[in-house]
Every structure is written in structure tokens, then in C-alpha cells.
Amino acid sequence: MTAQAPFDLIFRNALLRSSAAPADIGVKSGRIAAIAPRLACEAVEVDLGGHLTLPGFVDTHIHLDKACLLGRCGHDHGSVSEAIRAVAGMKKNFTVDDVYARGAKVLERAIVHGTTRMRTHVEIDPRIGLRGFEAVKALKDAYAWAIALELCVFPQEGLTNDPGAEELLIQALRNGGEAIGGCPYMDTEPHAHLARIFDLAEEFDVDVDLHLDFDLDPSWWHLDEVCRQTERRNYGGRVAIGHATKLSALPPERMKAAAVQLARAGVAVTVLPATDLYLMGREATHNAPRGLTLAHKLAADGVVCSVATNNVLNPFTPFGDASLLRMANFYANVAHASVSDFDICLDLVTELPARLMNLRDYGIEVGNPADLIVLDTTDGRFAIAELPDVLMGFKSGRQTFARQRPTLLSPKN
């Protein structure tokens, strides 16, 4: 018998965040089989040139179903409610093919910008029915070669006040929904809304990922009820809240107390810089508030946090390229992150969102899928500071994209 080679593929000279010097990564059947300074084996080799190598970016909160809508509506919407109304007016005419085409455009951009895992929030209600859900399910299958997509189904326009929404949510959960969200500030009975979302999460054994609030008035909030439901149901580590812009308006002592409450309950926080900054504080005539919750400071206090995309080219956010590296850089600028915070800012789009999504096989470790991306830098801090190109990406050891470096054409050439 011929001895089977230990590796199918070896990545040479990969600089990992956990080591000071480049190492080799041996891959067998799509999974990482060894990590060592110098692997001796006859196998296909890819030299990564000492560049920073990551397991890919993780986007915990994006809306593929309502992306790329700027060409269909006037987008000078000045508030959250106006943006919701604008999309609500369009989505009743969405088709499966339409949602698929717009979502594919964003997914492809995310892939070439280095995202390897993604949770997309999909609206489910009587206006859109299950058309958006069916389209995103098809995207999940079609792009599985490059990105692992998780579907979080949720009612954007309320639940108890929207007859038919719950039945559709249940259908989606029975047919591939992998997490459930909610939007209590859009419901006439926010506590009943949250209770029912948690009921369904328990029934179908899925995680909860909520759109918690979207204003800057901390005199009232639903955070206490979310933490109460989480603790009562022993759901710690399986609940996340998105936006949570009220936290940005808290004085230091209240913010510290909120961090303790979130960490104790096991409730994670996702900050969405592009949308939060675009929609918060628009009524101010001067000294406009940023409306950005400081995720890196919450993370330092033991709260699992992420920075994510949210919307791309629609009334909620008329910008975007689905680059999480750009989003982390944007966040670091606006959040006044210090240079010493740059490592945790990179964590906010890699390790921490992977924890938020309970991804057990994420990371460049033996036994995990050989999912990795290569950045044109040799230092994680510079990944945040200078926005290097993402040179190439791999899914289960198979290359999914490559980016050519630009060539300067001086007069001497």
C-alpha cells in the first residue's frame, strides 16, 4: 500500500496574530491538520509571504433582502421611521429574483473584502411574505463555496400588532431559519413582543438577535426586559442586541452598570456604525451626537461585542461596500479608539462576532476548516490603521478570490 500524504496543501509563511514569526499551515481534506514553523511534506504549496493571515471577517448583522435600493426611491430620509416607511412601501413588490440579485451583489463584495461568515437578518411579515426568505435561502446555497451564511428571521414592523406575522415566522423557522430576531420598539406591546420571540427561540432551539432600540433617549428602554428574559430562560450566550444606540447616551456610571448587567446576563451587543451615525442626531443644529455605542469599551468590561455592516445602499444607509475592515476602521475613527485599542477593534470583526454567533469551528486552529484570508500587512494594528488590501481568500482550502496589486506606471517605465 502507498502511504497517504499527511497534507493536500501547505500554506507557507503565514503570519498569525498569535505568533511573532510566520508559520506553515498544513491542510488535509479541507481542514487544518497542522500548524508549525516548517512543515516537511510533498504537497501543493501556497506562499503567503509573511502576510497577516486571519480566519476571515464575521458579519453578525446585515440585511441582504433590502440592500441596493437607492435607484428605486428618493433616499433623503431623515429618520428611522421614514426609512422604515420607505422600505415598507417597496417590499410588497419585491420578488424572489429581485431579492436574490440584490443580495448576490452585496455577498460578492463581502466575499472579496474577506468576509467568510455572515448572519443576515431577513424580514418576515404579511407584506413580503416568505419571498425574501426564499431568496436568501437560495443565496446561502449558491455561495456556500465562499461564505457560510446564517438566516435570522424577524418581524421589522412589529409582531403582536401585525396579524399574520407570527405564522409566517413559524413557517420560516420550520424551513431553515437559524436564529430569530425582533424589533420591540415597533410593537404596541414591546414586552409581549419580546416574550413571544423568546418563546419561539426556545421552541425551535435557536439564538435570539434583536433590533433593540434606535434613539438617544435613555430615560426608557427595553434592555432590562431583554436581560430578564435571558436570565429567566437560561439563554445567556445566545442573545444579542443590535444598534442599542441608547447606550451611547448614558453617563459613565450608568454605562458601567449597563455593562455589568449585559455581561452578567450573557447578552451580546452589535454596533452598526454606518447606520447609527447616519440616522442618529440628525435633528441637531450643532454639536450633533454620534449615537455610536462604544463596543471596544464594553468588550473590555466583559461584554461580547461586534461591529457589523447592517445596510448597504438603502434609505437606512445610503453608503456601503460590505467591507468589514473598512467598517472597523470607520468605527475606530469615530469611537476615538487609541492605537492600543486597534487590536480589539480587529477583534470586533473577527474573534468576538464569532463568539456572538457561537461558531465552534472558527479560527486558524487544528481541526477547523481551512478558511482564511490574507491581508497586505504584517501587523494586526496596521490592518485597522491603514486598510490594507485583502489579497486572497480560501474556503476549506480552496481559493475563493484573489486581488492583484496595482502597478504604478512611472514615466521611466
Side-chain angles (χ1 to χ4, degrees):
M1 293 178 62
T2 302
Q4 190 176 26
F7 310 120
D8 307 318
L9 169 68
I10 297 177
F11 293 108
R12 299 286 187 195
N13 300 311
L15 182 64
L16 308 181
R17 293 181 73 191
S18 58
S19 60
D24 292 349
I25 303 170
V27 178
K28 182 69 175 178
S29 301
R31 291 189 171 270
I32 297 171
I35 302 173
R38 183 69 186 172
L39 293 173
C41 176
E42 290 294 326
V44 175
E45 297 186 4
V46 178
D47 191 346
L48 304 186
H51 290 109
L52 182 66
T53 304
L54 303 174
F57 300 121
V58 181
D59 202 331
T60 63
H61 192 127
I62 191 170
H63 296 266
L64 296 177
D65 55 342
K66 57 188 182 189
C68 303
L69 294 172
L70 290 192
R72 305 185 188 187
C73 64
H75 56 275
D76 290 330
H77 305 288
S79 69
V80 176
S81 59
E82 287 175 331
I84 290 173
R85 282 197 299 272
V87 174
M90 289 185 284
K91 71 181 177 183
K92 63 180 180 294
N93 296 318
F94 288 174
T95 66
V96 173
D97 288 345
D98 165 48
V99 174
Y100 184 97
R102 289 185 287 104
K105 184 182 298 185
V106 175
L107 262 186
E108 290 178 7
R109 298 199 76 177
I111 290 165
V112 299
H113 286 307
T115 297
T116 55
R117 311 283 185 109
M118 177 183 284
R119 173 181 285 172
T120 182
H121 292 246
V122 185
E123 293 189 20
I124 306 287
D125 61 39
R127 270 74 59 199
I128 182 65
L130 296 176
R131 297 189 302 279
F133 176 71
E134 293 300 332
V136 179
K137 272 182 65 178
L139 288 169
K140 174 185 173 74
D141 292 340
Y143 287 90
W145 56 271
I147 188 168
L149 188 61
E150 179 185 279
L151 280 64
C152 177
V153 297
F154 84 110
Q156 170 75 75
E157 298 174 48
L159 182 61
T160 70
N161 56 334
D162 195 5
E166 182 173 325
E167 291 75 12
L168 288 165
L169 272 176
I170 291 170
Q171 285 186 55
L173 288 166
R174 285 174 176 162
N175 289 283
E178 298 158 287
I180 188 169
C183 202
Y185 65 87
M186 289 297 294
D187 205 305
T188 52
E189 299 290 341
H191 282 204
H193 178 114
L194 288 169
R196 191 63 189 129
I197 293 300
F198 273 90
D199 286 345
L200 291 170
E202 286 189 305
E203 179 180 346
F204 288 92
D205 190 23
V206 294
D207 291 357
V208 174
D209 197 333
L210 302 161
H211 291 62
L212 185 64
D213 58 52
F214 220 161
D215 64 73
L216 299 176
D217 179 4
S219 66
W220 64 273
W221 64 10
H222 304 305
L223 179 62
D224 294 337
E225 180 64 11
V226 170
C227 291
R228 189 185 75 83
Q229 291 280 356
T230 302
E231 292 178 316
R232 183 172 76 82
R233 299 169 189 259
N234 195 29
Y235 236 60
R238 301 191 67 181
V239 178
I241 55 175
H243 297 291
T245 49
K246 289 176 185 288
L247 290 172
S248 73
L250 295 179
E253 64 279 3
R254 281 194 65 192
M255 184 61 169
K256 193 72 173 179
V260 170
Q261 182 181 19
L262 289 162
R264 183 182 65 240
V267 174
V269 175
T270 293
V271 173
L272 304 159
T275 303
D276 296 346
L277 285 157
Y278 178 69
L279 289 175
M280 294 295 97
R282 294 182 69 86
E283 70 284 354
T285 60
H286 60 287
N287 279 343
R290 299 179 180 211
L292 185 77
T293 293
L294 298 182
H296 69 292
K297 292 188 179 297
L298 280 174
D301 285 334
V303 181
V304 174
C305 292
S306 68
V307 163
T309 299
N310 197 40
N311 283 290
V312 176
L313 303 176
N314 74 9
F316 293 88
T317 319
F319 315 101
D321 58 1
S323 167
L324 278 180
L325 187 60
R326 183 183 67 82
M327 196 63 69
N329 168 278
F330 182 43
Y331 168 85
N333 272 271
V334 178
H336 290 151
S338 303
V339 173
S340 59
D341 297 321
F342 285 3
D343 276 329
I344 197 167
C345 288
L346 188 56
D347 290 340
L348 289 169
V349 291
T350 53
E351 307 294 337
L352 288 171
R355 284 179 57 193
L356 184 153
M357 289 179 62
N358 290 303
L359 302 177
R360 308 298 183 193
D361 61 352
Y362 176 85
I364 301 178
E365 298 177 10
V366 172
N368 284 351
D371 300 349
L372 54 89
I373 60 171
V374 182
L375 277 62
D376 193 10
T377 186
T378 57
D379 191 315
R381 292 169 301 170
F382 283 91
I384 295 297
E386 63 179 355
L387 288 177
D389 286 339
V390 184
L391 298 175
M392 63 185 83
F394 298 82
K395 177 74 171 172
S396 297
R398 177 190 175 277
Q399 188 161 5
T400 54
F401 72 90
R403 177 177 282 105
Q404 298 300 319
R405 283 180 169 165
T407 301
L408 288 177
L409 304 176
S410 74
K412 298 178 181 179
N413 290 345

